[in-house]
Amino acid sequence: GAVVSQHPSWVICKSGTSVKIECRSLDFQATTMFWYRQFPKQSLMLMATSNEGSKATYEQGVEKDKFLINHASLTLSTLTVTSAHPEDSSFYICSARDGGRDEQYFGPGTRLTVT
Amino acid sequence: RKEVEQDPGPFNVPEGATVAFNCTYSNSASQSFFWYRQDCRKEPKLLMSVYSSGNEDGRFTAQLNRASQYISLLIRDSKLSDSATYLCVVNPSFRQKLVFGTGTRLLVSP
């Protein structure tokens, strides 16, 4: 299957700081990438859909000014959690769609802990 | 009603057993269907796409019943390594965002 990487794999930061997470498709071009969040023992929750060269589409209840998404190239999307708070602590996972195919491939996730 | 519903389990089975999971979806116009596997504290990994004619990959068989709006996953000859959470995933419209079920947890014991 297609390979998607995420960086960093885990991060601990202090409340009020910003954290940037990168998502890269390594062996294919991804016109669309998706950002999810998953709390312990819960299902994945879609946060936003990121299309290369255009603004992201955010799901209801997700603050676009807090979760900044940039998809500047066909292989890279970034999620910046601004002014992080302890309640933002979660497992953030990106996925990418391989061109004209329907399947999505997930990155390994980033575990964020805000203290 | 949730868009995608699954029995959360856990399903506890011995090695070698056959186990089946079902999943129902509410949008009759849904275009594509998948089973993903997620291990604890890891990302979901695509297990198989589910086609209208059904499909098989080794010990895994997936079926789609559009009339009743459910998909199934059958695992034969369970291995310890099959222990994971199995996510039923539906794409309501081709190449759009996926809708995830909450997952069914499988525990295979020696």
Side-chain angles (χ1 to χ4, degrees), chain A residues 100-114:
Chain A
R101 298 172 61 86
D102 203 20
E103 293 88 352
Q104 290 183 24
Y105 297 92
F106 287 83
T110 297
R111 198 160 298 279
L112 170 64
T113 301
V114 184

Side-chain angles (χ1 to χ4, degrees), chain A residues 21-93:
Chain A
I21 302 170
E22 292 187 351
C23 176
R24 293 180 185 273
S25 56
L26 298 185
D27 53 358
F28 65 99
Q29 293 186 330
T31 53
T32 305
M33 289 184 172
F34 302 85
W35 287 97
Y36 297 84
R37 180 167 54 181
Q38 187 175 34
F39 293 105
K41 297 187 179 181
Q42 293 187 25
S43 185
L44 279 81
M45 296 293 294
L46 179 65
M47 299 175 66
T49 302
S50 169
N51 293 297
E52 186 265 338
S54 63
K55 290 184 179 180
T57 303
Y58 290 82
E59 294 300 300
Q60 191 172 10
V62 178
E63 300 175 57
K64 62 180 182 180
D65 294 330
K66 180 170 179 64
F67 300 99
L68 302 178
I69 291 172
N70 184 283
H71 192 162
S73 78
L74 286 172
T75 59
L76 173 64
S77 176
T78 61
L79 168 68
T80 301
V81 183
T82 62
S83 187
H85 292 283
E87 57 265 31
D88 297 325
S89 298
S90 187
F91 190 42
Y92 291 85
I93 313 174

Side-chain angles (χ1 to χ4, degrees), chain A residues 31-32 34 36 38 42-44 46 49 59 91 93 97 99-109 111, chain B residues 31-34 36 38 41-46 49 51 87 91 93-98 100-103:
Chain A
T31 53
T32 305
F34 302 85
Y36 297 84
Q38 187 175 34
Q42 293 187 25
S43 185
L44 279 81
L46 179 65
T49 302
E59 294 300 300
F91 190 42
I93 313 174
R97 180 184 291 130
R101 298 172 61 86
D102 203 20
E103 293 88 352
Q104 290 183 24
Y105 297 92
F106 287 83
R111 198 160 298 279
Chain B
Q31 295 290 323
S32 50
F33 311 86
F34 310 93
Y36 279 77
Q38 187 174 25
R41 301 173 73 85
K42 298 284 188 179
E43 78 279 17
K45 292 188 177 178
L46 179 65
S49 302
Y51 303 120
L87 302 171
N91 190 341
S93 180
F94 184 66
R95 298 188 64 203
Q96 297 303 314
K97 58 187 181 183
L98 300 178
F100 286 81
T102 52

Side-chain angles (χ1 to χ4, degrees), chain B residues 47-61:
Chain B
L47 182 64
M48 56 200 308
S49 302
V50 187
Y51 303 120
S52 297
S53 56
N55 46 306
E56 185 174 315
D57 183 1
R59 298 182 292 109
F60 299 85
T61 301

Side-chain angles (χ1 to χ4, degrees), chain B residues 37-108:
Chain B
R37 169 196 169 127
Q38 187 174 25
D39 292 287
C40 188
R41 301 173 73 85
K42 298 284 188 179
E43 78 279 17
K45 292 188 177 178
L46 179 65
L47 182 64
M48 56 200 308
S49 302
V50 187
Y51 303 120
S52 297
S53 56
N55 46 306
E56 185 174 315
D57 183 1
R59 298 182 292 109
F60 299 85
T61 301
Q63 297 279 351
L64 167 64
N65 186 320
R66 284 192 181 272
S68 300
Q69 293 179 214
Y70 79 82
I71 67 175
S72 64
L73 177 68
L74 180 77
I75 305 175
R76 290 181 297 277
D77 189 22
S78 299
K79 311 291 184 190
L80 295 177
S81 56
D82 293 334
S83 297
T85 296
Y86 290 83
L87 302 171
C88 173
V89 183
V90 175
N91 190 341
S93 180
F94 184 66
R95 298 188 64 203
Q96 297 303 314
K97 58 187 181 183
L98 300 178
V99 180
F100 286 81
T102 52
T104 298
R105 191 166 172 221
L106 172 65
L107 299 172
V108 182

